[in-house]
Amino acid sequence: MTFAHRHLLGIEQLHPTDITTILDLADNYVTLNRGASKRSDVLSGLTQINMFFENSTRTQASFELAGKRLGADVMNMAMQASSIKKGETLIDTAMTLNAMHPDLLVVRHPQSGAVDLLAQKVNCAVLNAGDGRHEHPTQALLDALTIRRSKGRLHRLSVAICGDISHSRVARSNIMLLNKMESRIRLIGPPTLMPAGIDQFGVEVFEDMHEGLQDVDVVMMLRLQLERMDGGFIPSPREYYHRYGLDAEKLAQAKPDAIIMHPGPMNRGVEIDGTLADDINRSVIQDQVEMGVAVRMAVMELLAQNQRHTNGQAA
Amino acid sequence: MTTLFKNARLIDPEAGTDTIGSLLVQDEKIDKTFQEQVDFEELFRTRSISPTIIDCAGKCLAPGIVDIGVKVCEPGERHKESFKSAGLAAAAGGVTTMVTRPDTTPDIDSPEVLEFVTRRAADDAEVNVLHMAALTKGRMGREMTEIGFLMDAGAVAFTDCDRVVTDTKVLSRALTYARSLGALVIAHPQEPCLSKGAAATSGPFASLRGLPTVSPMAERIGLDRDIALVEMTGARYHADQITTMRALPALERAKRNGLDITAGVSIHHLTLNELDVADYRTFFKVKPPLRSEDDRLAVIEAVGSGLIDIISSMHTPQDEESKRLPFEEAASGAVALETLLPAALRLYHAGQLDLPVLFRAMSLNPARRLGLSCGRLTAGAPADLVLFDADVPFVMDRFALRSKSGNTPFDGQRMQGKVLATYVAGQKVYARS
């Protein structure tokens, strides 16, 4: 089991075999997490710091739990409340934390590229928990694990990603991952929420939801941020729901066994019908949350392995 | 005092020639150029002069660069660039005339501030320094500055730099008033709502990197508005940077219709494209953002055809702190006084533009636009000259720059061409050691 990366900054840097390695290991952790004792000691003695420069409950909780189950010492820092407000730059904050010798740094930041910048300045492994509109690699990995466990494979599937592609780091990471794993990707959304030149990324773009959902195996819905709902990008939430919200009628275009995914948190009645989201036969939204912890455990184990290796060499 | 530059490769942008010859300088002015073999002993005797003879050994001798749009950070941010450091950088880069921007702190928007910088420049810089003043007070786009007084105090052009005067009525009045005084107005064509908050040009690359973008069309919309206003007011207008393919037909039409319009482009938009940003390298963040390769090639062609008149460095010093930030937050701009010539020579070595065309855009046209007599090798013109080796290769080291700020996108890159000596009014202000 080799994983030749110092950090996990994005899906862009990963090779398909890296992705398979992570998912295989994560499968083991799913089993562990379902058992009576959820403890492992692969990270024991290591320090994990979660730096969230942007609000997050689920992702932060997921990383925290993953670290704790692996035996790491986990510290959470709510960065909006701290030194950034006092005018400290990102790099100074990073250097300060670096001096405390963490082994794993989990970072979320509202600006694209900020996590890359930080990774250049610290000695530990950096895990991107979402940077701006750029990447959210663990989300794509947990989505991949969910799909693989449900469909038995990641290749030659037809996956629809629907909604606000333009502002979504989840969409970008998923597009890259699914392309690497040789699945077909369809992007569906209003043109105002579609990034320029996206058609050059090996995807098919649809403005009509009925057309776009035709015979897909997976329907991935994206969250529509509240601040983008009023007139700027779409006329109103109700018109959006009418044209792009996932309901039974639109879902009927997809394959009969198509699964429904959502990275959460959901806006019921805006991008997805509440009943569909709760339909245990179609919706794998709760599975995604479960896979999230397992995937993060897997990634952290792999990064820690390399980290111990480098530290060992240095000593 | 007389000096003879002999055996030089004379780059004459006015004649459009690139020939081996000699050039005689008498005191501060160019006396004569010789393309043919001349018996200099004979000449010296008849004119009873005994000049210093400089053998150029076949290296290029061209009119010194006139660089419109240099930011010297005095007053306000002298730690980024002073007149002294900018002057040294200019001399080392073959820039004999710097035309400075008014986007300092405070802005150069009153005769008093202009007088201050004029004095500072005269004391500290060895090259010629001319100053532009703000078009509106505080560059706020509301009230025009004292254009008349500022002209009396020496302002050569009026510009709000990278800020667009959004209120079309304010701009139309400023243009009308400027016309009555014959003042040149330099604007930044850009539709301000479209470009608000943008850090990159929209397209696949920016989408992949997840950066806030502006459509290249914003430049064309801005230019279209300004052209209409120039048609309405008859003002003398220069667009600071035209960087996109889509804006070129509008510019071409405006010129064909006889409007008094010229356009410039920064050296960075001619030699770099959006992909150079790679992994969020903030030294490549400029304003407007770097464009696609198609745009870059179209703009080079426009410089070749003369549609785009002027190449500038758009020298913008930034300290490390302003650049060591996430891409969106990082400051825009790059230093370029010293890299302008070697970067321009990339276009020459790539076979895209020849040397007379490059110096037409870097020396002759900017001088003409500002009504200066320099920028050419004609008899009677000031002896502002740059002697350079167009071929010598080197690796750019940003810490070797004379600018106080080292924010160059060319750091670590292989370049060709070095300045050997720079002369202002016949005086040597730089010699390569």
Side-chain angles (χ1 to χ4, degrees):
Chain A
M1 204 168 49
T2 53
F3 185 74
H5 299 277
R6 183 175 161 74
H7 310 293
L8 179 70
L9 298 177
I11 299 295
E12 194 183 355
Q13 296 86 0
L14 298 185
H15 192 268
T17 54
D18 295 327
I19 295 168
T20 309
T21 303
I22 295 170
L23 299 186
D24 290 348
L25 184 59
D27 261 329
N28 297 343
Y29 280 119
V30 174
T31 318
L32 178 82
N33 286 340
R34 286 179 182 174
S37 169
K38 302 176 175 60
R39 291 290 288 188
S40 153
D41 58 358
V42 298
L43 292 192
S44 85
L46 300 188
T47 307
Q48 171 192 345
I49 299 181
N50 296 337
M51 286 169 83
F52 279 65
F53 293 89
E54 197 180 71
N55 271 324
S56 160
T57 321
R58 2 169 106 232
T59 309
Q60 189 171 340
S62 182
F63 270 109
E64 185 176 353
L65 203 55
K68 284 185 170 159
R69 285 189 181 163
L70 294 176
D73 296 311
V74 186
M75 183 170 82
N76 285 319
M77 298 192 61
M79 300 308 298
Q80 302 103 312
S82 74
S83 43
I84 295 296
K85 285 259 158 46
K86 298 177 196 158
E88 191 176 56
T89 66
L90 177 65
I91 289 178
D92 286 335
T93 310
M95 297 310 286
T96 307
L97 285 179
N98 192 47
M100 300 178 194
H101 296 290
D103 302 284
L104 287 166
L105 213 51
V106 178
V107 188
R108 169 170 287 190
H109 196 282
Q111 282 178 340
S112 305
V115 182
D116 293 50
L117 177 67
L118 199 142
Q120 292 163 21
K121 307 288 172 189
V122 296
N123 301 321
C124 62
V126 174
L127 246 151
N128 184 358
D131 64 322
R133 315 165 177 186
H134 179 220
E135 282 234 45
H136 190 355
T138 55
Q139 178 71 42
L141 288 163
L142 75 89
D143 288 342
L145 184 62
T146 312
I147 296 171
R148 198 175 79 166
R149 288 173 69 98
S150 167
K151 295 287 167 196
R153 63 175 201 272
L154 272 176
H155 58 277
R156 285 193 289 116
L157 291 171
S158 180
V159 181
I161 306 178
C162 317
D164 182 0
I165 312 287
S166 185
H167 300 95
S168 175
R169 51 192 173 218
V170 176
R172 280 176 181 73
S173 288
N174 266 313
I175 291 168
M176 266 182 273
L177 188 145
L178 293 165
N179 260 329
K180 284 180 201 242
M181 303 317 279
E182 300 179 9
S183 272
R184 301 187 63 144
I185 304 155
R186 302 174 141 221
L187 302 181
I188 310 171
T192 45
L193 294 173
M194 208 53 86
I198 194 79
D199 51 316
Q200 293 174 37
F201 290 20
V203 298
E204 286 179 275
V205 179
F206 294 88
E207 287 174 14
D208 181 281
M209 187 107 171
H210 291 88
E211 215 182 302
L213 288 181
Q214 210 68 244
D215 295 324
V216 299
D217 299 287
V218 178
V219 183
M220 212 179 260
M221 300 306 298
L222 296 172
R223 178 180 161 76
L224 185 67
Q225 302 288 337
L226 283 168
E227 63 268 25
R228 308 211 166 95
M229 285 185 199
D230 53 350
F233 292 90
I234 54 158
S236 70
R238 61 180 191 179
E239 180 161 331
Y240 184 80
Y241 182 64
H242 177 69
R243 300 193 61 208
Y244 295 102
L246 187 67
D247 54 22
E249 187 239 331
K250 295 191 192 95
L251 184 63
Q253 308 295 320
K255 282 197 183 147
D257 61 345
I259 53 170
I260 302 169
M261 305 177 74
H262 194 297
M266 281 182 281
N267 297 303
R268 288 168 187 264
V270 176
E271 68 248 357
I272 190 162
D273 173 65
T275 333
L276 269 187
D278 299 332
D279 181 349
I280 51 162
N281 296 315
R282 307 300 294 271
S283 164
V284 292
I285 296 171
Q286 295 308 315
D287 302 17
Q288 286 175 274
V289 180
E290 184 189 355
M291 297 310 131
V293 180
V295 153
R296 285 166 184 135
M297 289 168 83
V299 171
M300 287 198 281
E301 178 182 345
L302 293 167
L303 290 177
Q305 237 172 31
N306 295 345
Q307 187 73 10
R308 285 195 205 266
H309 187 64
T310 13
N311 290 352
Q313 272 181 339
Chain B
M1 198 189 90
T2 49
T3 312
L4 178 74
F5 294 87
K6 67 172 209 183
N7 193 20
R9 189 174 158 190
L10 297 175
I11 313 296
D12 184 343
E14 214 168 16
T17 54
D18 175 354
T19 48
I20 294 289
S22 311
L23 183 140
L24 186 68
V25 170
Q26 173 83 45
D27 299 324
E28 295 166 7
K29 294 199 186 320
I30 294 170
D31 185 85
K32 197 168 167 41
T33 54
F34 308 90
Q35 248 110 48
E36 67 284 5
Q37 281 298 330
V38 182
D39 183 353
F40 286 111
E41 296 305 319
E42 173 69 28
L43 180 85
F44 298 158
R45 228 174 303 119
T46 49
R47 289 184 48 176
S48 59
I49 47 173
S50 52
T52 318
I53 295 175
I54 297 171
D55 187 346
C56 300
K59 304 297 184 221
C60 302
L61 186 67
I65 296 168
V66 179
D67 191 2
I68 299 183
V70 174
K71 171 141 183 206
V72 177
C73 308
E74 281 191 60
E77 294 176 306
R78 228 162 93 179
H79 68 288
K80 291 186 179 177
E81 194 82 284
S82 65
F83 279 105
K84 176 119 192 148
S85 62
L88 290 170
V95 175
T96 49
T97 303
M98 292 194 284
V99 183
T100 64
R101 300 207 308 251
D103 54 344
T104 46
T105 322
D107 300 286
I108 300 170
D109 61 354
S110 70
E112 290 75 17
V113 185
L114 181 59
E115 216 167 276
F116 168 79
V117 290
T118 308
R119 199 156 11 99
R120 292 282 305 130
D123 287 349
D124 280 1
E126 287 186 277
V127 300
N128 302 317
V129 185
L130 297 171
H131 303 276
M132 299 191 282
L135 181 65
T136 65
K137 287 175 189 154
R139 297 190 301 123
M140 300 300 282
R142 286 195 210 101
E143 305 157 57
M144 68 179 93
T145 51
E146 294 172 312
I147 296 175
F149 281 156
L150 285 161
M151 283 179 85
D152 293 344
V156 294
F158 294 83
T159 179
D160 279 0
C161 301
D162 60 1
R163 287 201 202 146
V164 178
V165 179
T166 47
D167 188 327
T168 305
K169 185 164 255 176
V170 171
L171 183 58
S172 76
R173 283 182 182 149
L175 285 168
T176 305
Y177 193 85
R179 185 202 43 80
S180 73
L181 294 166
L184 176 68
V185 174
I186 301 185
H188 182 70
Q190 195 70 221
E191 208 295 310
C193 296
L194 279 178
S195 56
K196 196 174 170 197
T201 304
S202 64
F205 176 75
S207 292
L208 182 70
R209 287 284 174 269
L211 292 169
T213 60
V214 55
S215 162
M217 210 46 120
E219 184 173 286
R220 146 91 179 280
I221 299 173
L223 183 66
D224 274 339
R225 177 194 73 156
D226 288 4
I227 287 172
L229 287 174
V230 172
E231 203 177 316
M232 184 172 118
T233 59
R236 299 178 62 214
Y237 176 95
H238 175 71
D240 66 345
Q241 300 181 66
I242 293 298
T243 58
T244 60
M245 191 166 40
R246 290 278 179 73
L248 296 173
L251 180 64
E252 200 273 323
R253 254 191 326 274
K255 285 188 163 188
R256 190 154 25 89
N257 291 342
L259 300 183
D260 193 352
I261 285 187
T262 50
V265 63
S266 89
I267 191 64
H268 300 114
H269 291 90
L270 288 173
T271 52
L272 305 168
N273 69 27
E274 56 184 352
L275 302 180
D276 285 303
V277 168
D279 290 324
Y280 305 99
R281 296 194 289 173
T282 56
F283 280 10
F284 291 80
K285 186 176 180 185
V286 293
K287 206 170 171 183
L290 291 174
R291 308 300 195 181
S292 70
E293 181 65 2
D294 287 346
D295 281 329
R296 185 181 81 92
L297 294 174
V299 170
I300 293 173
E301 210 182 295
V303 172
S305 73
L307 178 57
I308 289 180
D309 309 84
I310 293 170
I311 300 174
S312 299
S313 71
M314 285 294 151
H315 182 81
T316 306
Q318 297 291 1
D319 52 20
E320 302 284 307
E321 280 66 40
S322 329
K323 285 286 189 183
R324 272 177 38 163
L325 291 170
F327 197 82
E328 259 177 79
E329 273 177 47
S332 299
V335 292
L337 279 169
E338 277 168 86
T339 48
L340 174 58
L341 182 57
L345 288 171
R346 282 187 169 183
L347 304 171
Y348 162 69
H349 290 297
Q352 289 165 313
L353 298 173
D354 61 30
L355 291 176
V357 166
L358 280 174
F359 280 88
R360 182 182 71 197
M362 293 193 295
S363 304
L364 178 64
N365 284 346
R368 273 190 180 153
R369 192 56 170 148
L370 298 173
L372 309 174
S373 54
C374 60
R376 57 205 93 187
L377 294 185
T378 324
D384 293 352
L385 299 166
V386 52
L387 178 65
F388 65 97
D389 181 333
D391 301 306
V392 59
F394 69 102
V395 175
M396 178 72 218
D397 172 10
R398 71 188 187 99
F399 297 108
L401 292 175
R402 284 152 188 84
S403 278
K404 282 190 180 179
S405 299
N407 55 307
T408 171
F410 297 110
D411 185 40
Q413 291 196 27
R414 285 163 200 280
M415 304 188 96
Q416 263 181 289
K418 276 202 161 179
V419 174
L420 302 172
T422 305
Y423 300 83
V424 173
Q427 295 293 316
K428 193 189 273 187
V429 293
Y430 170 80
R432 193 182 162 201
S433 47

